[in-house]
């Protein structure tokens, strides 16, 4: 039996043996993808992010076009430049400009870049609002657990009475 299946079977066994019988445990799911598409605040945040990204992409394309024009110009003049140090100086300048363009792209679009920062800044309050609503609905509907069906299955809410983490740890520490 592979590990993920064993883990899931073990978890289900814990539910079956839980004080609350498995038949009384209610599960639910949401699609965070649908929620984010339909929630006005999320739509607004997405539009703002798209505007920011478009401006950065436009700037990036301008920088690339400018560099390409300089490279083309250098290639046309290269044969006429007799001084080797002048050639090297122009090549270094082009290389430095290319590095600046790459740095700009990294600063804006990398996993730790400005886009990730802006997305997190805009989406954190929205996510908190969504999680609060999920918790409220789960309690109102007497759900023990709520999963997200978008992408990988993720547990969004669980009744604290169903948490057997420390019992499992205790069992492991005692060597059983």
């Amino acid at each position: 039996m592979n590990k993920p299946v064993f883990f899931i079977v073990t978890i289900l066994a814990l539910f079956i043996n839980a004080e609350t019988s498995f038949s009384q445990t209610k599960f639910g799911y949401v699609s965070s993808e649908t929620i984010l598409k339909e929630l006005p605040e999320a739509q607004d945040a997405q539009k703002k992010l798209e505007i920011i990204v478009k401006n950065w992409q436009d700037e990036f394309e301008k920088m690339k076009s400018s560099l390409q024009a300089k490279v083309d110009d250098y290639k046309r003049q290269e044969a006429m430049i007799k001084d080797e140090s002048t050639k090297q100086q122009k090549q270094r300048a082009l290389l430095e400009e290319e590095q600046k363009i790459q740095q700009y792209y990294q600063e804006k679009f990398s996993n730790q870049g400005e886009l990730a920062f802006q997305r997190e800044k805009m989406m954190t309050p929205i996510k908190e609002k969504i999680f609060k609503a999920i918790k409220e609905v789960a309690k109102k509907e007497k759900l023990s657990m709520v999963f997200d069906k978008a992408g990988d299955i993720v547990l969004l809410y669980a009744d604290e009475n169903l948490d057997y983490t420390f019992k499992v740890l205790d069992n492991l520490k005692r060597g059983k």
Side-chain angles (χ1 to χ4, degrees), residues 8 16-18 25 29 49 52 54 58 61 74 93 102-103 108 113-114 121 127 131 138 144 157 165 171:
I8 291 170
I16 291 169
N17 294 323
T25 304
Y29 70 87
L49 283 171
I52 291 169
K54 174 140 179 37
D58 290 348
E61 290 301 321
Y74 171 76
Q102 290 172 354
Q103 181 180 356
K108 300 300 181 191
E114 187 68 21
K121 180 178 154 187
K127 287 178 185 177
F131 285 125
S144 299
Y157 168 81
T165 304
N171 186 296

Side-chain angles (χ1 to χ4, degrees), residues 8 11 13 49 52 57 60 69 76 78 89 108 139 145 162 165 169-170:
I8 291 170
I11 297 290
L49 283 171
I52 291 169
Q57 285 175 331
F60 178 68
R76 280 193 300 275
E78 183 178 20
Q89 183 181 7
K108 300 300 181 191
K139 287 183 176 189
M145 294 186 175
L162 296 173
T165 304
L169 277 172
D170 184 48

Side-chain angles (χ1 to χ4, degrees), residues 89-174:
Q89 183 181 7
K90 289 184 181 275
Q91 290 170 353
R92 255 193 314 274
L94 292 172
L95 185 61
E96 286 174 10
E97 189 168 339
E98 182 180 20
Q99 290 170 343
K100 285 180 184 177
I101 293 170
Q102 290 172 354
Q103 181 180 356
Y104 176 85
Y105 187 86
Q106 288 295 318
E107 287 172 357
K108 300 300 181 191
F109 299 105
S110 72
N111 289 339
Q112 288 81 32
E114 187 68 21
L115 177 58
F117 173 76
Q118 290 295 328
R119 181 178 287 124
E120 187 67 25
K121 180 178 154 187
M122 288 183 197
M123 294 306 292
T124 295
I126 295 168
K127 287 178 185 177
E128 288 171 356
K129 181 178 180 177
I130 292 169
F131 285 125
K132 182 179 177 192
I134 289 169
K135 187 175 182 178
E136 288 172 0
V137 168
K139 287 183 176 189
K140 180 181 175 192
E141 298 294 326
K142 295 180 174 46
L143 298 173
S144 299
M145 294 186 175
V146 177
F147 295 91
D148 185 354
K149 74 173 191 166
D152 295 333
I153 297 175
V154 177
L155 180 64
L156 299 173
Y157 168 81
D159 183 336
E160 292 174 9
N161 294 325
L162 296 173
D163 185 356
Y164 286 85
T165 304
F166 293 103
K167 287 184 180 186
V168 171
L169 277 172
D170 184 48
N171 186 296
L172 288 168
K173 289 177 181 177
R174 285 187 282 134

Side-chain angles (χ1 to χ4, degrees), residues 9 11-22:
V9 170
I11 297 290
L12 289 175
L14 287 173
F15 283 130
I16 291 169
N17 294 323
E19 293 170 15
T20 306
S21 74
F22 190 69

